[in-house]
Amino acid sequence: QQPVQSPQAVILREGEDAVINCSSSKALYSVHWYRQKHGEAPVFLMILLKGGEQKGHEKISASFNEKKQQSSLYLTASQLSYSGTYFCGTASGGGADGLTFGKGTHLIIQP
Amino acid sequence: DTAVSQTPKYLVTQMGNDKSIKCEQNLGHDTMYWYKQDSKKFLKIMFSYNNKELIINETVPNRFSPKSPDKAHLNLHINSLELGDSAVYFCASSQDTRLVDGELFFGEGSRLTVL
């Protein structure tokens, strides 16, 4: 089951904040966040685990509500380099079935 | 050294042809994957494979087949190519098979264009 991301697209001025949401209808063991720039591969940002542990980026934070199966990615004081497409990926933890990604959120940062 | 490398980066071919994309990882990971990213940027898993099991996304046509000569390589073979197969194909690997704790490392992608 593919997680649902919102919004689909965001346009910000440099220095503004953004929140990207990800929700799933199935029980999750972890939520991953990746950023992809045009013509490049997705790059890992952060992983959030059941129990509240987080691993990842210094300037980007995220939350994971296990009961609601929701995660949010917080981009504060956005920089031009934050532009790209953000994907959340969910893992069920049941086997080697990889990450299931949402449809992505396109973030454009303008000077 | 590139952690996950794919070849070729670009592939242009005619409908009906058979083609392969190769992937190698030097990270010592046990699990490798193929993802397809279409023109709308939807990133969809096709296969995951480790030493013990191959998991196939049920929506993947059987014209697509992964082949792993060893745990550092996972190649993708596509038979009878169709226009809808045009996409960017990403190989990825992970140390943690269940991805409960551990990231995916992606290759640079192989852009396939079917004419």
Side-chain angles (χ1 to χ4, degrees):
Chain A
Q1 197 82 18
Q2 185 177 39
V4 177
Q5 282 186 239
S6 63
Q8 287 187 334
V10 183
I11 301 176
L12 297 176
R13 294 272 179 204
E14 198 173 5
E16 292 181 338
D17 301 338
V19 180
I20 301 172
N21 300 304
C22 175
S23 63
S24 175
S25 59
K26 60 189 266 187
L28 302 176
Y29 283 76
S30 64
V31 177
H32 298 224
W33 287 96
Y34 289 76
R35 177 171 61 210
Q36 184 180 30
K37 293 187 177 287
H38 182 70
E40 298 180 6
V43 174
F44 172 77
L45 292 177
M46 177 165 290
I47 180 172
L48 300 111
L49 306 173
K50 279 183 77 171
E53 185 178 357
Q54 296 186 19
K55 299 181 182 181
H57 207 279
E58 290 179 357
K59 295 185 179 180
I60 296 174
S61 62
S63 64
F64 179 23
N65 185 324
E66 297 167 31
K67 287 185 180 178
K68 292 185 177 180
Q69 272 114 231
Q70 293 175 346
S71 177
S72 294
L73 186 72
Y74 305 97
L75 304 167
T76 56
S78 58
Q79 305 170 14
L80 293 176
S81 61
Y82 287 7
S83 291
T85 303
Y86 288 77
F87 293 96
C88 73
T90 56
S92 63
D97 50 0
L99 287 180
T100 302
F101 286 98
K103 292 185 177 179
T105 296
H106 303 283
L107 178 64
I108 298 172
I109 310 294
Q110 296 177 334
Chain B
D1 272 353
T2 304
V4 182
S5 59
Q6 299 177 224
T7 55
K9 282 191 176 181
Y10 300 96
L11 187 54
V12 181
T13 189
Q14 300 287 330
M15 278 176 56
N17 285 349
D18 303 337
K19 289 295 177 186
S20 296
I21 306 172
K22 295 185 177 182
C23 178
E24 176 183 3
Q25 54 97 1
N26 62 8
L27 297 167
H29 289 169
D30 285 332
T31 307
M32 297 182 71
Y33 313 82
W34 278 105
Y35 280 85
K36 176 182 180 181
Q37 187 169 46
D38 62 20
S39 57
K40 294 183 180 178
K41 292 213 166 186
F42 299 158
L43 197 59
K44 192 172 181 181
I45 189 164
M46 301 178 71
F47 304 100
S48 64
Y49 184 80
N50 64 16
N51 287 336
K52 299 173 186 174
E53 60 182 327
L54 169 67
I55 298 179
I56 302 171
N57 186 312
E58 60 187 12
T59 66
V60 175
N62 57 16
R63 298 181 295 103
F64 291 79
S65 58
K67 288 191 171 36
S68 179
D70 55 60
K71 83 170 199 176
H73 297 83
L74 183 65
N75 304 325
L76 182 65
H77 296 270
I78 316 170
N79 296 324
S80 303
L81 279 157
E82 300 178 357
L83 293 176
D85 298 334
S86 295
V88 179
Y89 292 85
F90 286 100
C91 176
S93 72
S94 68
Q95 183 171 18
D96 173 14
T97 296
R98 295 178 303 135
L99 282 169
V100 172
D101 178 11
E103 63 185 273
L104 279 179
F105 289 81
F106 284 90
E108 294 181 339
S110 297
R111 181 175 293 277
L112 171 65
T113 302
V114 182
L115 304 174

Short mmCIF file of all heavy atoms in Angstrom, two decimals, chain A residues 29-30 32 34 36-42 44 47 49 55 85 87 91 93-103 106, chain B residues 31 33 35 37 40-45 48-50 53 55 90 97-109 111:
data_model
loop_
_atom_site.label_atom_id
_atom_site.label_comp_id
_atom_site.label_asym_id
_atom_site.label_seq_id
_atom_site.Cartn_x
_atom_site.Cartn_y
_atom_site.Cartn_z
N TYR A 29 6.94 0.08 10.55
CA TYR A 29 8.07 -0.09 11.44
C TYR A 29 9.06 1.05 11.31
O TYR A 29 9.81 1.34 12.22
CB TYR A 29 8.76 -1.43 11.18
CG TYR A 29 8.01 -2.59 11.76
CD1 TYR A 29 6.86 -3.06 11.16
CD2 TYR A 29 8.44 -3.19 12.93
CE1 TYR A 29 6.16 -4.11 11.71
CE2 TYR A 29 7.74 -4.25 13.49
CZ TYR A 29 6.59 -4.70 12.87
OH TYR A 29 5.90 -5.73 13.43
N SER A 30 9.07 1.66 10.15
CA SER A 30 9.94 2.81 9.97
C SER A 30 9.44 3.65 8.81
O SER A 30 8.73 3.16 7.92
CB SER A 30 11.39 2.37 9.71
OG SER A 30 11.49 1.67 8.49
N HIS A 32 11.10 6.47 6.06
CA HIS A 32 12.32 7.05 5.51
C HIS A 32 11.95 8.29 4.70
O HIS A 32 10.89 8.33 4.07
CB HIS A 32 13.01 6.06 4.56
CG HIS A 32 13.46 4.79 5.19
ND1 HIS A 32 14.69 4.24 4.93
CD2 HIS A 32 12.86 3.94 6.05
CE1 HIS A 32 14.84 3.12 5.59
NE2 HIS A 32 13.74 2.91 6.29
N TYR A 34 13.61 10.83 1.63
CA TYR A 34 14.65 10.99 0.62
C TYR A 34 14.38 12.25 -0.17
O TYR A 34 13.23 12.68 -0.31
CB TYR A 34 14.67 9.80 -0.36
CG TYR A 34 15.19 8.52 0.26
CD1 TYR A 34 14.41 7.78 1.11
CD2 TYR A 34 16.48 8.07 -0.02
CE1 TYR A 34 14.88 6.61 1.69
CE2 TYR A 34 16.98 6.90 0.55
CZ TYR A 34 16.16 6.18 1.41
OH TYR A 34 16.65 5.03 1.98
N GLN A 36 15.28 14.03 -3.96
CA GLN A 36 15.81 13.79 -5.30
C GLN A 36 15.87 15.10 -6.08
O GLN A 36 14.85 15.78 -6.23
CB GLN A 36 14.95 12.77 -6.06
CG GLN A 36 15.51 12.40 -7.41
CD GLN A 36 14.64 11.38 -8.15
OE1 GLN A 36 13.43 11.34 -7.97
NE2 GLN A 36 15.27 10.54 -8.97
N LYS A 37 17.04 15.42 -6.56
CA LYS A 37 17.19 16.59 -7.44
C LYS A 37 17.08 16.10 -8.88
O LYS A 37 17.32 14.94 -9.20
CB LYS A 37 18.51 17.28 -7.17
CG LYS A 37 18.56 17.91 -5.77
CD LYS A 37 19.78 18.75 -5.57
CE LYS A 37 19.76 19.42 -4.21
NZ LYS A 37 18.79 20.52 -4.15
N HIS A 38 16.73 17.04 -9.74
CA HIS A 38 16.46 16.70 -11.14
C HIS A 38 17.65 15.99 -11.78
O HIS A 38 18.78 16.46 -11.73
CB HIS A 38 16.12 17.98 -11.92
CG HIS A 38 15.79 17.72 -13.35
ND1 HIS A 38 14.64 17.08 -13.73
CD2 HIS A 38 16.48 17.97 -14.49
CE1 HIS A 38 14.62 16.97 -15.05
NE2 HIS A 38 15.71 17.50 -15.53
N GLY A 39 17.38 14.84 -12.37
CA GLY A 39 18.42 14.10 -13.07
C GLY A 39 19.36 13.32 -12.17
O GLY A 39 20.34 12.76 -12.66
N GLU A 40 19.05 13.28 -10.89
CA GLU A 40 19.93 12.57 -9.95
C GLU A 40 19.18 11.46 -9.25
O GLU A 40 17.96 11.33 -9.35
CB GLU A 40 20.51 13.56 -8.93
CG GLU A 40 21.35 14.65 -9.56
CD GLU A 40 21.90 15.61 -8.52
OE1 GLU A 40 21.73 15.37 -7.31
OE2 GLU A 40 22.50 16.63 -8.93
N ALA A 41 19.90 10.67 -8.49
CA ALA A 41 19.29 9.60 -7.72
C ALA A 41 18.73 10.16 -6.41
O ALA A 41 19.20 11.19 -5.91
CB ALA A 41 20.32 8.53 -7.41
N PRO A 42 17.75 9.49 -5.83
CA PRO A 42 17.28 9.90 -4.50
C PRO A 42 18.40 9.75 -3.48
O PRO A 42 19.20 8.81 -3.54
CB PRO A 42 16.15 8.91 -4.21
CG PRO A 42 15.72 8.40 -5.55
CD PRO A 42 16.96 8.38 -6.38
N PHE A 44 19.30 9.78 0.71
CA PHE A 44 18.74 9.58 2.04
C PHE A 44 18.84 10.84 2.88
O PHE A 44 19.87 11.52 2.90
CB PHE A 44 19.52 8.44 2.73
CG PHE A 44 19.20 8.24 4.17
CD1 PHE A 44 18.03 7.58 4.55
CD2 PHE A 44 20.06 8.68 5.16
CE1 PHE A 44 17.73 7.37 5.88
CE2 PHE A 44 19.77 8.48 6.50
CZ PHE A 44 18.61 7.82 6.86
N ILE A 47 15.70 8.66 8.76
CA ILE A 47 14.86 7.51 9.06
C ILE A 47 14.27 7.67 10.44
O ILE A 47 14.96 8.13 11.37
CB ILE A 47 15.66 6.18 8.95
CG1 ILE A 47 14.78 4.98 9.26
CG2 ILE A 47 16.86 6.19 9.88
CD1 ILE A 47 15.46 3.64 8.99
N LEU A 49 12.17 5.62 13.41
CA LEU A 49 11.87 4.25 13.82
C LEU A 49 10.76 4.23 14.88
O LEU A 49 10.55 5.22 15.59
CB LEU A 49 13.11 3.60 14.40
CG LEU A 49 14.36 3.61 13.52
CD1 LEU A 49 15.57 3.10 14.28
CD2 LEU A 49 14.13 2.79 12.27
N LYS A 55 17.39 9.10 12.85
CA LYS A 55 18.76 9.17 12.35
C LYS A 55 18.74 9.98 11.08
O LYS A 55 17.92 9.72 10.19
CB LYS A 55 19.31 7.78 12.03
CG LYS A 55 19.37 6.84 13.20
CD LYS A 55 19.94 5.49 12.78
CE LYS A 55 19.94 4.54 13.95
NZ LYS A 55 20.50 3.22 13.58
N THR A 85 12.53 17.03 -5.15
CA THR A 85 11.34 16.23 -4.86
C THR A 85 11.61 15.38 -3.63
O THR A 85 12.61 14.68 -3.57
CB THR A 85 10.97 15.34 -6.05
OG1 THR A 85 10.77 16.16 -7.21
CG2 THR A 85 9.69 14.57 -5.75
N PHE A 87 10.52 12.39 -1.09
CA PHE A 87 9.75 11.16 -1.04
C PHE A 87 9.78 10.59 0.37
O PHE A 87 10.85 10.55 1.00
CB PHE A 87 10.36 10.10 -1.97
CG PHE A 87 10.26 10.41 -3.44
CD1 PHE A 87 11.31 11.01 -4.10
CD2 PHE A 87 9.11 10.09 -4.15
CE1 PHE A 87 11.23 11.29 -5.46
CE2 PHE A 87 9.01 10.37 -5.50
CZ PHE A 87 10.07 10.98 -6.16
N ALA A 91 8.47 1.13 5.45
CA ALA A 91 8.89 -0.26 5.56
C ALA A 91 8.00 -0.97 6.56
O ALA A 91 7.74 -0.44 7.65
CB ALA A 91 10.35 -0.34 6.00
N GLY A 93 8.76 -3.94 7.75
CA GLY A 93 9.60 -4.70 8.66
C GLY A 93 9.40 -6.19 8.56
O GLY A 93 10.01 -6.97 9.28
N GLY A 94 8.52 -6.61 7.65
CA GLY A 94 8.20 -8.03 7.60
C GLY A 94 9.15 -8.88 6.78
O GLY A 94 9.26 -10.06 6.98
N GLY A 95 9.84 -8.27 5.85
CA GLY A 95 10.73 -9.07 5.00
C GLY A 95 11.49 -8.19 4.06
O GLY A 95 11.45 -6.96 4.18
N ALA A 96 12.18 -8.79 3.12
CA ALA A 96 13.04 -8.02 2.21
C ALA A 96 12.22 -7.46 1.06
O ALA A 96 12.50 -7.73 -0.11
CB ALA A 96 14.15 -8.93 1.68
N ASP A 97 11.21 -6.69 1.38
CA ASP A 97 10.36 -6.18 0.32
C ASP A 97 10.58 -4.71 0.04
O ASP A 97 9.78 -4.06 -0.62
CB ASP A 97 8.88 -6.45 0.62
CG ASP A 97 8.47 -6.00 2.01
OD1 ASP A 97 9.35 -5.48 2.74
OD2 ASP A 97 7.30 -6.16 2.37
N GLY A 98 11.66 -4.15 0.55
CA GLY A 98 12.06 -2.80 0.17
C GLY A 98 11.18 -1.72 0.76
O GLY A 98 10.35 -1.97 1.63
N LEU A 99 11.38 -0.52 0.27
CA LEU A 99 10.59 0.62 0.68
C LEU A 99 9.51 0.87 -0.35
O LEU A 99 9.75 0.78 -1.56
CB LEU A 99 11.45 1.88 0.77
CG LEU A 99 12.44 2.00 1.93
CD1 LEU A 99 13.19 3.32 1.84
CD2 LEU A 99 11.71 1.89 3.26
N THR A 100 8.33 1.23 0.14
CA THR A 100 7.26 1.68 -0.73
C THR A 100 7.20 3.19 -0.62
O THR A 100 7.01 3.73 0.49
CB THR A 100 5.91 1.07 -0.30
OG1 THR A 100 6.03 -0.35 -0.34
CG2 THR A 100 4.81 1.50 -1.25
N PHE A 101 7.37 3.87 -1.73
CA PHE A 101 7.45 5.33 -1.72
C PHE A 101 6.12 5.98 -2.04
O PHE A 101 5.31 5.45 -2.82
CB PHE A 101 8.49 5.81 -2.74
CG PHE A 101 9.91 5.57 -2.32
CD1 PHE A 101 10.61 4.47 -2.79
CD2 PHE A 101 10.55 6.45 -1.46
CE1 PHE A 101 11.92 4.24 -2.40
CE2 PHE A 101 11.86 6.23 -1.07
CZ PHE A 101 12.54 5.12 -1.53
N GLY A 102 5.92 7.16 -1.46
CA GLY A 102 4.81 8.01 -1.85
C GLY A 102 5.10 8.65 -3.20
O GLY A 102 6.17 8.45 -3.77
N LYS A 103 4.14 9.42 -3.69
CA LYS A 103 4.26 10.00 -5.03
C LYS A 103 5.17 11.23 -5.08
O LYS A 103 5.44 11.76 -6.14
CB LYS A 103 2.88 10.34 -5.58
CG LYS A 103 2.05 9.09 -5.87
CD LYS A 103 0.72 9.42 -6.53
CE LYS A 103 -0.03 8.14 -6.87
NZ LYS A 103 -1.35 8.41 -7.50
N HIS A 106 6.99 18.07 -4.64
CA HIS A 106 7.93 18.92 -5.37
C HIS A 106 8.10 20.23 -4.61
O HIS A 106 7.13 20.97 -4.41
CB HIS A 106 7.42 19.19 -6.78
CG HIS A 106 7.16 17.95 -7.56
ND1 HIS A 106 8.17 17.20 -8.13
CD2 HIS A 106 6.01 17.30 -7.85
CE1 HIS A 106 7.65 16.15 -8.74
NE2 HIS A 106 6.34 16.18 -8.59
N THR B 31 21.17 -7.14 0.41
CA THR B 31 19.91 -6.98 -0.32
C THR B 31 20.04 -5.93 -1.39
O THR B 31 20.59 -4.86 -1.16
CB THR B 31 18.77 -6.60 0.65
OG1 THR B 31 18.74 -7.54 1.72
CG2 THR B 31 17.43 -6.63 -0.06
N TYR B 33 17.89 -4.10 -4.95
CA TYR B 33 16.55 -3.79 -5.43
C TYR B 33 16.62 -3.17 -6.83
O TYR B 33 17.62 -2.58 -7.22
CB TYR B 33 15.87 -2.76 -4.52
CG TYR B 33 15.96 -3.02 -3.04
CD1 TYR B 33 17.10 -2.66 -2.32
CD2 TYR B 33 14.91 -3.62 -2.36
CE1 TYR B 33 17.18 -2.89 -0.96
CE2 TYR B 33 14.98 -3.85 -0.99
CZ TYR B 33 16.13 -3.48 -0.30
OH TYR B 33 16.21 -3.72 1.06
N TYR B 35 14.14 -0.36 -8.82
CA TYR B 35 13.02 0.55 -8.79
C TYR B 35 12.83 1.15 -10.19
O TYR B 35 13.80 1.37 -10.91
CB TYR B 35 13.26 1.71 -7.81
CG TYR B 35 13.01 1.36 -6.37
CD1 TYR B 35 14.00 0.76 -5.59
CD2 TYR B 35 11.78 1.64 -5.78
CE1 TYR B 35 13.76 0.45 -4.26
CE2 TYR B 35 11.53 1.33 -4.45
CZ TYR B 35 12.53 0.74 -3.70
OH TYR B 35 12.29 0.42 -2.38
N GLN B 37 11.22 4.51 -12.14
CA GLN B 37 10.68 5.85 -11.98
C GLN B 37 10.16 6.33 -13.33
O GLN B 37 10.93 6.49 -14.27
CB GLN B 37 11.72 6.82 -11.43
CG GLN B 37 11.14 8.18 -11.09
CD GLN B 37 12.09 9.05 -10.31
OE1 GLN B 37 13.27 9.17 -10.64
NE2 GLN B 37 11.61 9.68 -9.24
N LYS B 40 6.25 10.72 -14.50
CA LYS B 40 5.64 11.52 -13.44
C LYS B 40 6.44 11.45 -12.14
O LYS B 40 6.02 11.94 -11.11
CB LYS B 40 4.21 11.04 -13.17
CG LYS B 40 3.27 11.29 -14.34
CD LYS B 40 1.85 10.87 -14.00
CE LYS B 40 0.92 11.12 -15.17
NZ LYS B 40 -0.47 10.68 -14.90
N LYS B 41 7.58 10.80 -12.21
CA LYS B 41 8.51 10.69 -11.06
C LYS B 41 8.02 9.72 -10.00
O LYS B 41 8.57 9.72 -8.90
CB LYS B 41 8.80 12.05 -10.45
CG LYS B 41 9.61 12.96 -11.34
CD LYS B 41 10.52 13.84 -10.53
CE LYS B 41 11.56 14.49 -11.39
NZ LYS B 41 12.54 15.24 -10.62
N PHE B 42 7.00 8.89 -10.31
CA PHE B 42 6.60 7.89 -9.33
C PHE B 42 7.69 6.84 -9.24
O PHE B 42 8.12 6.28 -10.24
CB PHE B 42 5.28 7.25 -9.74
CG PHE B 42 4.13 8.20 -9.83
CD1 PHE B 42 3.02 7.91 -10.60
CD2 PHE B 42 4.14 9.41 -9.14
CE1 PHE B 42 1.96 8.79 -10.69
CE2 PHE B 42 3.09 10.29 -9.22
CZ PHE B 42 1.99 9.98 -10.00
N LEU B 43 8.13 6.58 -8.00
CA LEU B 43 9.23 5.65 -7.75
C LEU B 43 8.64 4.36 -7.22
O LEU B 43 8.17 4.29 -6.10
CB LEU B 43 10.16 6.30 -6.72
CG LEU B 43 11.58 5.77 -6.54
CD1 LEU B 43 12.33 5.85 -7.85
CD2 LEU B 43 12.28 6.56 -5.47
N LYS B 44 8.69 3.31 -8.05
CA LYS B 44 7.95 2.10 -7.73
C LYS B 44 8.91 0.91 -7.66
O LYS B 44 9.72 0.71 -8.56
CB LYS B 44 6.92 1.85 -8.81
CG LYS B 44 5.90 0.79 -8.49
CD LYS B 44 4.82 0.80 -9.56
CE LYS B 44 3.77 -0.23 -9.26
NZ LYS B 44 2.73 -0.26 -10.31
N ILE B 45 8.80 0.13 -6.59
CA ILE B 45 9.69 -1.01 -6.46
C ILE B 45 9.26 -2.11 -7.42
O ILE B 45 8.08 -2.38 -7.61
CB ILE B 45 9.73 -1.53 -5.01
CG1 ILE B 45 10.84 -2.58 -4.87
CG2 ILE B 45 8.38 -2.07 -4.56
CD1 ILE B 45 11.23 -2.88 -3.45
N SER B 48 12.98 -7.04 -5.04
CA SER B 48 14.02 -7.00 -4.02
C SER B 48 14.58 -8.41 -3.93
O SER B 48 13.86 -9.39 -4.13
CB SER B 48 13.48 -6.52 -2.68
OG SER B 48 12.53 -7.43 -2.18
N TYR B 49 15.87 -8.49 -3.65
CA TYR B 49 16.53 -9.81 -3.70
C TYR B 49 17.65 -9.85 -2.68
O TYR B 49 18.47 -8.95 -2.60
CB TYR B 49 17.09 -10.04 -5.10
CG TYR B 49 17.71 -11.40 -5.28
CD1 TYR B 49 16.93 -12.51 -5.52
CD2 TYR B 49 19.10 -11.57 -5.22
CE1 TYR B 49 17.49 -13.77 -5.68
CE2 TYR B 49 19.67 -12.82 -5.37
CZ TYR B 49 18.85 -13.92 -5.60
OH TYR B 49 19.41 -15.15 -5.75
N ASN B 50 17.64 -10.90 -1.88
CA ASN B 50 18.82 -11.18 -1.07
C ASN B 50 19.19 -12.64 -1.27
O ASN B 50 18.67 -13.31 -2.16
CB ASN B 50 18.61 -10.80 0.39
CG ASN B 50 17.53 -11.63 1.05
OD1 ASN B 50 17.12 -12.66 0.55
ND2 ASN B 50 17.07 -11.16 2.20
N GLU B 53 15.80 -14.85 -0.73
CA GLU B 53 14.49 -14.72 -1.36
C GLU B 53 14.46 -13.63 -2.41
O GLU B 53 15.14 -12.62 -2.31
CB GLU B 53 13.42 -14.48 -0.30
CG GLU B 53 13.63 -13.23 0.53
CD GLU B 53 12.56 -13.07 1.61
OE1 GLU B 53 11.41 -13.48 1.38
OE2 GLU B 53 12.86 -12.52 2.68
N ILE B 55 11.66 -11.19 -4.05
CA ILE B 55 10.29 -10.70 -3.90
C ILE B 55 9.97 -9.86 -5.13
O ILE B 55 10.71 -8.93 -5.46
CB ILE B 55 10.12 -9.89 -2.62
CG1 ILE B 55 10.39 -10.78 -1.41
CG2 ILE B 55 8.72 -9.29 -2.54
CD1 ILE B 55 10.29 -10.08 -0.09
N PHE B 90 16.31 2.49 -11.36
CA PHE B 90 17.30 2.67 -10.31
C PHE B 90 17.56 1.34 -9.62
O PHE B 90 16.64 0.65 -9.20
CB PHE B 90 16.81 3.67 -9.25
CG PHE B 90 16.85 5.09 -9.68
CD1 PHE B 90 15.69 5.73 -10.11
CD2 PHE B 90 18.04 5.81 -9.65
CE1 PHE B 90 15.72 7.06 -10.49
CE2 PHE B 90 18.07 7.14 -10.04
CZ PHE B 90 16.91 7.77 -10.47
N THR B 97 18.11 -5.89 5.70
CA THR B 97 17.15 -6.47 4.77
C THR B 97 15.74 -5.94 5.00
O THR B 97 15.00 -5.69 4.05
CB THR B 97 17.15 -8.01 4.91
OG1 THR B 97 18.43 -8.49 4.54
CG2 THR B 97 16.10 -8.63 4.03
N ARG B 98 15.36 -5.78 6.24
CA ARG B 98 13.99 -5.36 6.51
C ARG B 98 13.82 -3.85 6.46
O ARG B 98 12.72 -3.33 6.56
CB ARG B 98 13.54 -5.89 7.87
CG ARG B 98 13.46 -7.41 7.93
CD ARG B 98 13.06 -7.88 9.32
NE ARG B 98 14.00 -7.37 10.32
CZ ARG B 98 13.62 -6.84 11.47
NH1 ARG B 98 12.35 -6.74 11.79
NH2 ARG B 98 14.53 -6.40 12.33
N LEU B 99 14.91 -3.12 6.30
CA LEU B 99 14.88 -1.66 6.23
C LEU B 99 14.21 -1.02 7.44
O LEU B 99 13.68 0.09 7.36
CB LEU B 99 14.20 -1.19 4.94
CG LEU B 99 15.10 -1.30 3.72
CD1 LEU B 99 14.30 -1.08 2.45
CD2 LEU B 99 16.23 -0.28 3.78
N VAL B 100 14.23 -1.73 8.54
CA VAL B 100 13.72 -1.14 9.77
C VAL B 100 14.73 -0.13 10.29
O VAL B 100 14.38 0.87 10.89
CB VAL B 100 13.47 -2.24 10.83
CG1 VAL B 100 13.12 -1.64 12.17
CG2 VAL B 100 12.34 -3.15 10.35
N ASP B 101 15.99 -0.42 10.05
CA ASP B 101 17.05 0.47 10.52
C ASP B 101 18.16 0.47 9.50
O ASP B 101 19.06 -0.35 9.55
CB ASP B 101 17.55 -0.01 11.88
CG ASP B 101 18.68 0.85 12.40
OD1 ASP B 101 18.92 1.93 11.82
OD2 ASP B 101 19.32 0.44 13.38
N GLY B 102 18.10 1.38 8.56
CA GLY B 102 19.14 1.40 7.52
C GLY B 102 18.59 2.00 6.24
O GLY B 102 17.42 1.87 5.95
N GLU B 103 19.45 2.67 5.52
CA GLU B 103 18.99 3.40 4.35
C GLU B 103 19.20 2.60 3.07
O GLU B 103 19.95 1.63 3.02
CB GLU B 103 19.77 4.72 4.24
CG GLU B 103 21.27 4.51 4.02
CD GLU B 103 22.04 5.80 4.05
OE1 GLU B 103 22.15 6.43 2.96
OE2 GLU B 103 22.55 6.17 5.12
N LEU B 104 18.52 3.07 2.04
CA LEU B 104 18.75 2.57 0.68
C LEU B 104 19.84 3.42 0.04
O LEU B 104 19.82 4.64 0.12
CB LEU B 104 17.48 2.73 -0.15
CG LEU B 104 16.37 1.69 -0.02
CD1 LEU B 104 15.22 2.07 -0.93
CD2 LEU B 104 16.86 0.31 -0.33
N PHE B 105 20.76 2.75 -0.62
CA PHE B 105 21.78 3.44 -1.41
C PHE B 105 21.40 3.22 -2.87
O PHE B 105 21.35 2.08 -3.34
CB PHE B 105 23.17 2.86 -1.13
CG PHE B 105 23.70 3.19 0.23
CD1 PHE B 105 23.30 2.46 1.34
CD2 PHE B 105 24.59 4.24 0.41
CE1 PHE B 105 23.79 2.75 2.62
CE2 PHE B 105 25.08 4.54 1.68
CZ PHE B 105 24.68 3.80 2.78
N PHE B 106 21.18 4.31 -3.58
CA PHE B 106 20.74 4.22 -4.97
C PHE B 106 21.91 4.38 -5.93
O PHE B 106 22.85 5.14 -5.67
CB PHE B 106 19.73 5.33 -5.28
CG PHE B 106 18.35 5.06 -4.75
CD1 PHE B 106 17.98 5.50 -3.49
CD2 PHE B 106 17.42 4.39 -5.52
CE1 PHE B 106 16.71 5.28 -2.99
CE2 PHE B 106 16.14 4.16 -5.05
CZ PHE B 106 15.78 4.59 -3.78
N GLY B 107 21.83 3.68 -7.05
CA GLY B 107 22.71 3.95 -8.16
C GLY B 107 22.25 5.21 -8.87
O GLY B 107 21.23 5.81 -8.52
N GLU B 108 23.00 5.62 -9.90
CA GLU B 108 22.71 6.88 -10.58
C GLU B 108 21.53 6.79 -11.53
O GLU B 108 21.04 7.81 -12.01
CB GLU B 108 23.94 7.35 -11.34
CG GLU B 108 25.11 7.74 -10.43
CD GLU B 108 26.30 8.21 -11.21
OE1 GLU B 108 26.41 7.89 -12.41
OE2 GLU B 108 27.15 8.91 -10.63
N GLY B 109 21.07 5.60 -11.80
CA GLY B 109 19.91 5.44 -12.67
C GLY B 109 20.31 5.12 -14.11
O GLY B 109 21.38 5.52 -14.57
N ARG B 111 18.51 5.48 -17.82
CA ARG B 111 17.35 6.00 -18.54
C ARG B 111 17.12 5.18 -19.79
O ARG B 111 17.95 5.18 -20.70
CB ARG B 111 17.55 7.47 -18.90
CG ARG B 111 16.35 8.07 -19.64
CD ARG B 111 16.52 9.56 -19.89
NE ARG B 111 16.49 10.31 -18.65
CZ ARG B 111 15.39 10.70 -18.03
NH1 ARG B 111 14.21 10.42 -18.54
NH2 ARG B 111 15.47 11.39 -16.92
#
